[in-house]
Amino acid sequence: MTDAESLDGLRGRYRDIVLDAAGRVVLDRGWRSNAIAASCRALLAAMLRGSPPTSGLVGMQVGAGLPAWDSTGPPLATSAQTTLVDPHPFTVGPTAMKLDFLAGNAVSVAPTNRLQIQATLGPNLPAWPDAGHASASLREFGLIATLAGGTVLINYVTHLVIAKDPASTLQRTIWLTF
């Protein structure tokens, strides 16, 4: 399964916009497809059954991926992915994300089959470099949820490197269709 394919109708898209310290757009790659991880299906079934301890989204992880992807291109994200390649990803918590239902491309107060997740990584986020990262180069991300007491990946993307400097802001918008 490629990043443009879906799991029986489940599909996703994302858009990254990077702003400099003055708020000017310095990167906008437009809308791209992403992979819905196979564990998303189990999460949906558990939530419908009311199986604790299960929750909706608990965050978004961003990772450095592999520097080799800069010369070879990132691998296609697949539904088989269970974790980020980066063993020390940065997690954007739920308070830094905004979730809305979408009707068409407009926000809806009523539940729909489409969800929009907006996450912002402001200046100095992620707090890299650190012991696990030489730079703040981002090459992958995934949405995470809680299922049966553990963290599961429900959406995964690999992308060309985003060299996020300490003064820039990354605005990531993700659309999931169920």
Side-chain angles (χ1 to χ4, degrees):
M1 181 175 289
T2 67
D3 68 329
E5 295 174 317
S6 65
L7 245 168
D8 293 335
L10 300 178
R11 63 184 184 277
R13 297 182 54 76
Y14 76 99
R15 182 178 188 181
D16 288 333
I17 296 174
V18 177
L19 307 170
D20 66 13
R24 296 178 297 247
V25 174
V26 294
L27 176 72
D28 182 349
R29 293 187 180 142
W31 287 98
R32 300 182 179 271
S33 295
N34 57 30
I36 303 296
S39 55
C40 185
R41 182 181 312 280
L43 176 71
L44 292 172
M47 291 176 78
L48 287 172
R49 183 175 177 262
S51 297
T54 300
S55 73
L57 293 176
V58 295
M60 178 184 72
Q61 293 180 332
V62 296
L66 297 176
W69 297 353
D70 297 345
S71 57
T72 63
L76 291 177
T78 72
S79 62
Q81 196 75 23
T82 58
T83 62
L84 270 62
V85 172
D86 185 336
H88 307 288
F90 176 80
T91 300
V92 177
T95 59
M97 299 187 328
K98 183 176 186 275
L99 282 68
D100 291 299
F101 293 110
L102 291 178
N105 292 340
V107 171
S108 171
V109 294
T112 68
N113 70 324
R114 294 186 64 215
L115 187 63
Q116 174 175 269
I117 300 103
Q118 295 175 308
T120 301
L121 279 83
N124 299 310
L125 293 177
W128 298 344
D130 61 18
H133 302 91
S135 69
S137 295
L138 305 176
R139 296 178 185 89
E140 63 179 342
F141 77 87
L143 295 173
I144 54 173
T146 302
L147 177 62
T151 299
V152 295
L153 189 67
I154 62 166
N155 178 259
Y156 182 66
V157 173
T158 58
H159 54 76
L160 297 174
V161 67
I162 296 173
K164 188 174 177 310
D165 67 57
S168 67
T169 296
L170 169 62
Q171 296 175 335
R172 179 163 280 157
T173 303
I174 304 160
W175 288 351
L176 300 177
T177 302
F178 303 95

Coordinates of all heavy atoms in Angstrom, one line a residue, residues 106-173:
A106 N -15.4 23.0 5.3 CA -15.7 24.0 6.3 C -15.8 23.2 7.7 O -16.3 22.1 7.7 CB -17.1 24.6 6.0
V107 N -15.5 23.9 8.7 CA -15.6 23.4 10.1 C -17.1 23.2 10.4 O -17.9 24.1 10.1 CB -14.9 24.3 11.1 CG1 -15.2 23.9 12.5 CG2 -13.4 24.3 10.9
S108 N -17.4 22.1 11.1 CA -18.7 21.8 11.4 C -18.8 21.5 12.9 O -17.9 20.8 13.5 CB -19.2 20.5 10.7 OG -20.4 20.0 11.2
V109 N -19.9 22.0 13.6 CA -20.1 21.7 15.0 C -20.7 20.3 15.2 O -20.5 19.6 16.2 CB -20.9 22.7 15.7 CG1 -20.2 24.1 15.8 CG2 -22.3 22.8 15.1
A110 N -21.3 19.8 14.1 CA -21.9 18.5 14.2 C -20.9 17.4 13.7 O -20.1 17.7 12.8 CB -23.2 18.4 13.3
P111 N -20.9 16.2 14.3 CA -20.0 15.2 13.9 C -20.2 14.8 12.4 O -21.3 14.8 11.9 CB -20.4 14.0 14.8 CG -21.0 14.6 16.0 CD -21.7 15.8 15.5
T112 N -19.1 14.6 11.7 CA -19.1 14.1 10.3 C -18.1 13.0 10.2 O -17.5 12.6 11.2 CB -18.7 15.3 9.4 OG1 -17.3 15.6 9.6 CG2 -19.5 16.5 9.6
N113 N -17.9 12.5 9.0 CA -16.9 11.5 8.7 C -15.5 12.0 8.4 O -14.6 11.3 8.1 CB -17.4 10.5 7.6 CG -17.3 11.2 6.2 OD1 -17.5 12.4 6.1 ND2 -16.9 10.5 5.2
R114 N -15.3 13.3 8.6 CA -14.0 13.9 8.4 C -13.6 14.7 9.6 O -14.4 15.4 10.3 CB -14.1 14.9 7.2 CG -14.4 14.1 5.9 CD -14.4 15.0 4.7 NE -13.0 15.6 4.5 CZ -12.8 16.8 4.0 NH1 -13.8 17.6 3.7 NH2 -11.6 17.2 3.9
L115 N -12.3 14.5 9.9 CA -11.7 15.2 11.0 C -10.5 16.0 10.6 O -9.7 15.6 9.8 CB -11.2 14.2 12.1 CG -10.7 14.6 13.4 CD1 -11.8 15.4 14.2 CD2 -10.2 13.5 14.2
Q116 N -10.4 17.3 11.1 CA -9.2 18.1 10.8 C -8.4 18.3 12.1 O -9.0 18.6 13.1 CB -9.7 19.5 10.3 CG -8.5 20.5 10.1 CD -9.0 21.8 9.5 OE1 -9.0 21.9 8.3 NE2 -9.4 22.7 10.4
I117 N -7.1 18.0 12.0 CA -6.2 18.2 13.1 C -5.2 19.2 12.8 O -4.6 19.1 11.7 CB -5.5 16.9 13.5 CG1 -6.5 15.7 13.8 CG2 -4.5 17.1 14.6 CD1 -6.7 14.8 12.7
Q118 N -5.1 20.3 13.6 CA -4.2 21.3 13.3 C -3.2 21.3 14.5 O -3.6 21.4 15.7 CB -4.8 22.7 13.2 CG -5.7 22.8 12.0 CD -6.5 24.1 11.9 OE1 -7.1 24.5 12.9 NE2 -6.4 24.7 10.8
A119 N -1.9 21.2 14.2 CA -0.9 21.2 15.2 C 0.2 22.2 14.9 O 0.5 22.4 13.7 CB -0.2 19.8 15.3
T120 N 0.6 23.0 15.9 CA 1.6 24.0 15.7 C 2.8 23.7 16.5 O 2.7 23.5 17.7 CB 1.0 25.4 16.0 OG1 -0.1 25.6 15.2 CG2 2.0 26.5 15.9
L121 N 4.0 23.7 15.9 CA 5.3 23.6 16.6 C 5.9 25.0 16.5 O 6.4 25.4 15.4 CB 6.2 22.6 15.9 CG 5.9 21.1 16.3 CD1 4.8 20.6 15.5 CD2 7.1 20.3 16.1
G122 N 5.8 25.8 17.5 CA 6.3 27.1 17.5 C 7.8 27.2 17.7 O 8.5 26.2 17.6
P123 N 8.3 28.4 17.9 CA 9.7 28.6 18.1 C 10.3 27.7 19.2 O 9.6 27.4 20.2 CB 9.9 30.1 18.5 CG 8.7 30.7 17.8 CD 7.6 29.7 18.0
N124 N 11.5 27.2 18.9 CA 12.2 26.3 19.8 C 11.6 24.9 20.0 O 11.9 24.2 21.0 CB 12.5 27.0 21.2 CG 13.3 28.2 21.0 OD1 14.4 28.2 20.3 ND2 12.9 29.3 21.5
L125 N 10.6 24.5 19.2 CA 10.0 23.2 19.2 C 10.2 22.5 17.9 O 10.0 23.1 16.8 CB 8.5 23.3 19.5 CG 8.2 23.8 20.9 CD1 6.7 23.9 21.0 CD2 8.7 22.9 22.0
P126 N 10.7 21.3 17.8 CA 11.1 20.5 19.0 C 12.3 21.1 19.6 O 13.1 21.8 19.0 CB 11.3 19.1 18.5 CG 11.6 19.3 17.0 CD 10.8 20.5 16.6
A127 N 12.6 20.7 20.9 CA 13.7 21.3 21.6 C 15.0 20.5 21.2 O 15.7 19.9 22.0 CB 13.5 21.2 23.1
W128 N 15.3 20.4 19.9 CA 16.5 19.8 19.4 C 17.5 20.9 19.0 O 17.1 22.0 18.7 CB 16.2 18.9 18.2 CG 15.2 17.8 18.4 CD1 14.8 17.3 19.6 CD2 14.5 17.1 17.4 NE1 13.9 16.3 19.4 CE2 13.7 16.1 18.1 CE3 14.4 17.2 16.0 CZ2 12.9 15.2 17.4 CZ3 13.6 16.3 15.3 CH2 12.8 15.3 16.0
P129 N 18.7 20.7 18.9 CA 19.4 19.5 19.1 C 19.5 19.0 20.6 O 19.4 19.8 21.5 CB 20.8 19.7 18.6 CG 21.0 21.2 18.6 CD 19.6 21.8 18.6
D130 N 19.6 17.7 20.7 CA 19.7 17.1 22.1 C 20.5 15.8 22.0 O 21.1 15.6 20.9 CB 18.3 16.9 22.7 CG 17.4 15.9 21.9 OD1 18.0 15.1 21.0 OD2 16.2 15.8 22.1
A131 N 20.5 15.0 23.0 CA 21.3 13.8 23.0 C 20.9 12.9 21.8 O 21.8 12.1 21.3 CB 21.2 13.1 24.3
G132 N 19.7 12.9 21.4 CA 19.2 12.0 20.3 C 19.2 12.6 18.9 O 18.9 11.9 18.0
H133 N 19.4 13.9 18.8 CA 19.3 14.6 17.6 C 20.3 15.7 17.4 O 20.5 16.5 18.3 CB 17.9 15.3 17.5 CG 16.8 14.3 17.7 ND1 16.2 14.0 18.9 CD2 16.1 13.5 16.8 CE1 15.2 13.1 18.7 NE2 15.2 12.8 17.5
A134 N 21.0 15.6 16.2 CA 22.0 16.6 16.0 C 21.4 17.9 15.5 O 22.1 19.0 15.6 CB 23.0 16.1 14.9
S135 N 20.2 17.9 14.9 CA 19.6 19.1 14.4 C 18.1 19.0 14.5 O 17.6 17.9 15.0 CB 19.9 19.3 13.0 OG 19.3 18.3 12.2
A136 N 17.3 20.0 14.2 CA 15.9 20.0 14.2 C 15.3 19.6 12.8 O 14.4 20.2 12.3 CB 15.3 21.3 14.7
S137 N 16.0 18.7 12.1 CA 15.5 18.3 10.8 C 14.4 17.3 10.9 O 14.6 16.2 11.5 CB 16.7 17.7 10.0 OG 17.7 18.7 9.8
L138 N 13.2 17.6 10.4 CA 12.1 16.8 10.5 C 11.8 16.0 9.2 O 11.8 16.7 8.1 CB 10.8 17.6 10.9 CG 11.0 18.4 12.1 CD1 9.7 19.3 12.3 CD2 11.2 17.6 13.3
R139 N 11.6 14.7 9.2 CA 11.4 13.9 8.0 C 10.2 13.0 8.1 O 9.9 12.3 7.2 CB 12.6 13.1 7.7 CG 13.8 13.9 7.4 CD 15.1 13.1 7.1 NE 16.2 13.9 6.9 CZ 17.1 14.3 7.9 NH1 16.8 13.9 9.1 NH2 18.1 15.0 7.6
E140 N 9.5 12.9 9.3 CA 8.4 12.0 9.5 C 7.5 12.5 10.6 O 8.0 13.3 11.5 CB 8.9 10.6 9.8 CG 9.7 10.5 11.1 CD 10.1 9.1 11.5 OE1 9.6 8.1 10.9 OE2 11.0 9.0 12.3
F141 N 6.2 12.1 10.6 CA 5.4 12.4 11.7 C 4.3 11.3 11.7 O 4.0 10.6 10.7 CB 4.8 13.8 11.6 CG 3.6 14.0 10.7 CD1 2.3 13.7 11.0 CD2 3.9 14.5 9.4 CE1 1.3 14.0 10.1 CE2 2.9 14.7 8.5 CZ 1.5 14.5 8.9
G142 N 3.6 11.2 12.9 CA 2.5 10.3 13.0 C 1.6 10.8 14.1 O 2.0 11.4 15.1
L143 N 0.3 10.5 13.9 CA -0.7 10.7 15.0 C -0.7 9.5 15.9 O -0.7 8.3 15.4 CB -2.1 11.0 14.4 CG -2.2 12.2 13.5 CD1 -3.6 12.3 12.9 CD2 -2.0 13.5 14.4
I144 N -0.9 9.7 17.2 CA -0.9 8.6 18.1 C -2.1 8.6 19.0 O -2.7 9.7 19.2 CB 0.4 8.6 19.0 CG1 0.6 9.9 19.7 CG2 1.6 8.2 18.2 CD1 1.7 10.0 20.8
A145 N -2.6 7.4 19.4 CA -3.7 7.3 20.3 C -3.4 6.2 21.3 O -2.4 5.6 21.2 CB -5.0 6.9 19.5
T146 N -4.3 6.0 22.3 CA -4.1 5.0 23.3 C -5.1 3.9 23.0 O -6.3 4.1 22.8 CB -4.4 5.6 24.7 OG1 -3.5 6.6 25.0 CG2 -4.2 4.5 25.8
L147 N -4.6 2.6 23.0 CA -5.4 1.5 22.7 C -4.9 0.4 23.7 O -3.7 0.0 23.7 CB -5.2 1.0 21.3 CG -6.0 -0.3 20.9 CD1 -7.5 -0.1 21.0 CD2 -5.6 -0.7 19.4
A148 N -5.8 -0.2 24.5 CA -5.5 -1.2 25.4 C -4.4 -0.9 26.3 O -3.5 -1.7 26.6 CB -5.3 -2.5 24.7
G149 N -4.3 0.4 26.7 CA -3.3 0.9 27.6 C -1.9 1.2 27.0 O -1.0 1.7 27.6
G150 N -1.8 1.0 25.7 CA -0.5 1.3 25.0 C -0.7 2.4 23.9 O -1.9 2.7 23.6
T151 N 0.4 3.0 23.5 CA 0.3 4.0 22.5 C 0.4 3.3 21.1 O 1.3 2.5 20.9 CB 1.5 5.0 22.6 OG1 1.4 5.6 23.9 CG2 1.5 6.0 21.6
V152 N -0.5 3.7 20.2 CA -0.5 3.1 18.8 C -0.4 4.3 17.8 O -0.9 5.4 18.1 CB -1.7 2.2 18.6 CG1 -1.7 1.0 19.4 CG2 -3.0 3.0 18.7
L153 N 0.2 4.0 16.7 CA 0.3 4.9 15.6 C -0.9 4.7 14.7 O -1.2 3.6 14.3 CB 1.6 4.6 14.8 CG 2.0 5.5 13.7 CD1 2.4 6.9 14.3 CD2 3.2 4.9 12.9
I154 N -1.6 5.8 14.4 CA -2.8 5.6 13.6 C -2.7 6.3 12.3 O -3.5 6.1 11.4 CB -4.1 6.1 14.3 CG1 -4.0 7.6 14.7 CG2 -4.4 5.3 15.6 CD1 -5.3 8.2 15.1
N155 N -1.7 7.1 12.1 CA -1.5 7.9 10.8 C 0.0 8.1 10.7 O 0.7 8.4 11.7 CB -2.2 9.2 10.9 CG -2.0 10.0 9.7 OD1 -1.3 11.0 9.7 ND2 -2.7 9.7 8.6
Y156 N 0.6 7.9 9.5 CA 2.1 8.1 9.4 C 2.4 8.7 8.0 O 1.8 8.5 7.0 CB 2.7 6.7 9.4 CG 4.2 6.7 9.3 CD1 5.0 7.3 10.3 CD2 4.9 6.2 8.2 CE1 6.4 7.3 10.2 CE2 6.3 6.2 8.2 CZ 7.0 6.7 9.2 OH 8.4 6.8 9.1
V157 N 3.4 9.6 8.1 CA 3.9 10.3 6.9 C 5.4 10.4 7.0 O 6.0 10.6 8.0 CB 3.4 11.8 6.9 CG1 4.0 12.6 5.8 CG2 1.9 11.8 6.8
T158 N 6.0 10.1 5.8 CA 7.4 10.5 5.6 C 7.4 11.6 4.6 O 6.6 11.6 3.7 CB 8.2 9.3 5.0 OG1 7.7 8.8 3.8 CG2 8.3 8.1 6.1
H159 N 8.4 12.5 4.7 CA 8.4 13.7 3.8 C 9.8 14.2 3.6 O 10.7 13.8 4.3 CB 7.5 14.8 4.3 CG 7.8 15.2 5.7 ND1 8.8 16.0 6.0 CD2 7.1 15.0 6.8 CE1 8.8 16.3 7.3 NE2 7.7 15.6 7.8
L160 N 10.0 15.0 2.6 CA 11.3 15.7 2.4 C 11.6 16.4 3.7 O 10.7 16.9 4.4 CB 11.3 16.6 1.2 CG 11.0 15.9 -0.2 CD1 10.8 16.9 -1.3 CD2 12.1 14.9 -0.5
V161 N 12.9 16.6 3.9 CA 13.4 17.2 5.1 C 12.8 18.7 5.3 O 12.7 19.4 4.3 CB 14.9 17.2 5.2 CG1 15.5 18.1 4.2 CG2 15.4 17.6 6.7
I162 N 12.4 19.0 6.5 CA 12.1 20.3 6.9 C 13.1 20.7 7.9 O 13.2 20.1 9.0 CB 10.7 20.4 7.5 CG1 9.6 20.1 6.5 CG2 10.4 21.8 8.1 CD1 8.2 20.0 7.0
A163 N 14.0 21.6 7.6 CA 15.1 22.1 8.5 C 14.5 23.2 9.3 O 14.5 24.4 8.9 CB 16.3 22.5 7.7
K164 N 13.9 22.9 10.5 CA 13.2 23.8 11.3 C 14.2 24.5 12.2 O 14.8 23.9 13.1 CB 12.1 23.2 12.1 CG 11.3 24.2 12.9 CD 10.1 23.5 13.5 CE 9.3 24.5 14.3 NZ 10.0 25.3 15.2
D165 N 14.4 25.8 12.0 CA 15.3 26.6 12.8 C 14.6 27.0 14.1 O 13.4 27.0 14.2 CB 15.9 27.8 12.1 CG 14.9 28.8 11.7 OD1 14.2 29.4 12.7 OD2 14.8 29.2 10.5
P166 N 15.3 27.4 15.1 CA 14.7 27.8 16.4 C 13.7 28.9 16.4 O 12.8 29.0 17.3 CB 15.9 28.2 17.3 CG 17.1 27.5 16.7 CD 16.8 27.5 15.2
A167 N 13.7 29.8 15.4 CA 12.8 30.9 15.3 C 11.5 30.6 14.5 O 10.6 31.4 14.6 CB 13.5 32.1 14.8
S168 N 11.5 29.5 13.8 CA 10.4 29.2 12.8 C 9.3 28.5 13.5 O 9.4 28.0 14.6 CB 10.9 28.4 11.6 OG 11.3 27.2 12.0
T169 N 8.1 28.5 12.8 CA 6.9 27.9 13.3 C 6.4 26.9 12.2 O 6.4 27.3 11.0 CB 5.8 28.9 13.6 OG1 6.3 29.7 14.7 CG2 4.5 28.2 14.0
L170 N 6.1 25.7 12.5 CA 5.6 24.7 11.6 C 4.1 24.6 11.9 O 3.7 24.3 13.1 CB 6.3 23.4 11.7 CG 5.6 22.2 11.0 CD1 5.6 22.4 9.5 CD2 6.3 20.9 11.3
Q171 N 3.2 24.9 10.9 CA 1.8 24.7 11.1 C 1.4 23.5 10.2 O 1.6 23.5 9.0 CB 1.0 25.9 10.6 CG 1.3 27.1 11.4 CD 0.6 28.3 10.8 OE1 0.3 28.4 9.6 NE2 0.3 29.3 11.6
R172 N 1.0 22.4 10.9 CA 0.7 21.2 10.2 C -0.8 20.9 10.3 O -1.4 20.9 11.4 CB 1.4 20.0 10.8 CG 1.2 18.7 10.2 CD 2.2 17.7 10.5 NE 3.4 17.9 9.7 CZ 4.6 17.5 10.0 NH1 4.9 16.9 11.1 NH2 5.6 17.7 9.2
T173 N -1.5 20.8 9.1 CA -2.9 20.5 9.1 C -3.1 19.1 8.5 O -2.5 18.8 7.5 CB -3.7 21.5 8.2 OG1 -3.4 22.8 8.8 CG2 -5.2 21.2 8.2

